[in-house]
Amino acid sequence: KQEVTQIPAALSVPEGENLVLNCSFTDSAIYNLQWFRQDPGKGLTSLLLIQSSQREQTSGRLNASLDKSSGRSTLYIAASQPGDSATYLCAVRQAGGYQKVTFGTGTKLQVIP
Amino acid sequence: DAMVIQNPRYQVTQFGKPVTLSCSQTLNHNVMYWYQQKSSQAPKLLFHYYDKDFNNEADTPDNFQSRRPNTSFCFLDIRSPGLGDAAMYLCATSRASGNSPLHFGNGTRLTVT
């Protein structure tokens, strides 16, 4: 059974700091890994998707990396802003035709002005 | 715009009174997912459809059932809601390929009185 863990569970940083969020998974047989953000009481917004054959993806101030063999992904946020405050979730899609997607435990980020 | 639509946004039901949540998509995706998300927790997969194949998670209560009458629509039926079933219910869709992201609806927030 796939287990997805995110560390840290919560993070508070001053505005302008660069930060790294971590996601680890136990079964490396995956199709892709997707990062989301979720604002309180809202739905999920997709940030980045990395296919299993890729090492990293970038979008604006966000950079996500994937090391499939070691079961790890990181989300790097450059020059953090108060508007980045949200919960960040990673989700892993299982390979093998089953299409199951398992979410990580989430990291709650607060960027202090 | 192609999208995933969940109705209603807010649903209030009484303890033990059956309730149905709906999800529709215009993306023509062949995979549809139902997630349950309780406050401050990660989304938990209840079940998903890969085309017409239904995949139920082992720990999904029998109280929860689903129907997918066609590609576009998927329903979540809660036969006898308990207070512990109060949560946000999220529907997501995807194509069955490694480069296809999950697309989420805005969710239905269920209250059980």
Side-chain angles (χ1 to χ4, degrees):
Chain A
K1 179 184 176 183
Q2 179 76 273
E3 302 282 347
V4 186
T5 305
Q6 293 184 242
I7 294 173
L11 182 63
S12 184
V13 300
E15 182 178 2
E17 203 164 282
N18 302 325
L19 57 101
V20 175
L21 308 181
N22 298 289
C23 171
S24 62
F25 47 95
T26 55
D27 185 348
S28 62
I30 66 170
Y31 275 136
N32 61 45
L33 185 145
Q34 193 170 354
W35 283 93
F36 294 88
R37 70 172 278 167
Q38 187 174 34
D39 294 291
K42 304 291 186 181
L44 280 76
T45 300
S46 180
L47 298 173
L48 289 163
L49 176 125
I50 311 179
Q51 297 179 59
S52 62
S53 58
Q54 298 174 324
R55 297 286 294 184
E56 65 179 63
Q57 282 287 330
T58 298
S59 176
R61 294 183 293 110
L62 305 179
N63 176 277
S65 68
L66 175 65
D67 184 344
K68 196 178 77 161
S69 60
S70 66
R72 286 187 290 189
S73 176
T74 61
L75 179 67
Y76 175 83
I77 302 177
S80 58
Q81 302 171 358
D84 295 329
S85 299
T87 296
Y88 290 79
L89 294 153
C90 64
V92 174
R93 182 194 294 256
Q94 218 60 39
Y98 191 41
Q99 304 299 326
K100 179 176 177 177
V101 178
T102 303
F103 274 83
T105 47
T107 294
K108 186 173 183 178
L109 172 66
Q110 182 182 26
V111 180
I112 303 166
Chain B
D1 287 343
M3 56 176 53
V4 181
I5 301 169
Q6 290 187 245
N7 285 307
R9 287 293 306 276
Y10 302 92
Q11 176 73 59
V12 180
T13 191
Q14 293 177 330
F15 182 94
K17 185 175 181 180
V19 65
T20 295
L21 310 182
S22 72
C23 177
S24 64
Q25 54 134 338
T26 59
L27 297 160
N28 203 32
H29 286 168
N30 54 347
V31 191
M32 293 186 79
Y33 304 82
W34 278 107
Y35 287 88
Q36 178 193 62
Q37 187 178 27
K38 296 186 177 181
S39 182
S40 300
Q41 296 184 20
K44 178 181 177 298
L45 183 63
L46 296 173
F47 24 60
H48 72 284
Y49 283 90
Y50 181 0
D51 292 322
K52 293 183 178 181
D53 291 336
F54 177 68
N55 300 279
N56 194 33
E57 292 303 297
D59 55 357
T60 297
D62 293 339
N63 200 24
F64 289 80
Q65 296 180 335
S66 184
R67 297 169 283 134
R68 189 181 186 186
N70 54 52
T71 300
S72 301
F73 286 89
C74 195
F75 300 97
L76 169 60
D77 301 308
I78 308 177
R79 289 192 294 181
S80 182
L83 298 179
D85 297 328
M88 174 78 88
Y89 290 87
L90 297 163
C91 173
T93 73
S94 177
R95 283 183 287 110
S97 79
N99 64 352
S100 178
L102 283 183
H103 294 259
F104 276 89
N106 286 327
T108 294
R109 182 167 296 283
L110 178 68
T111 301
V112 182
T113 60

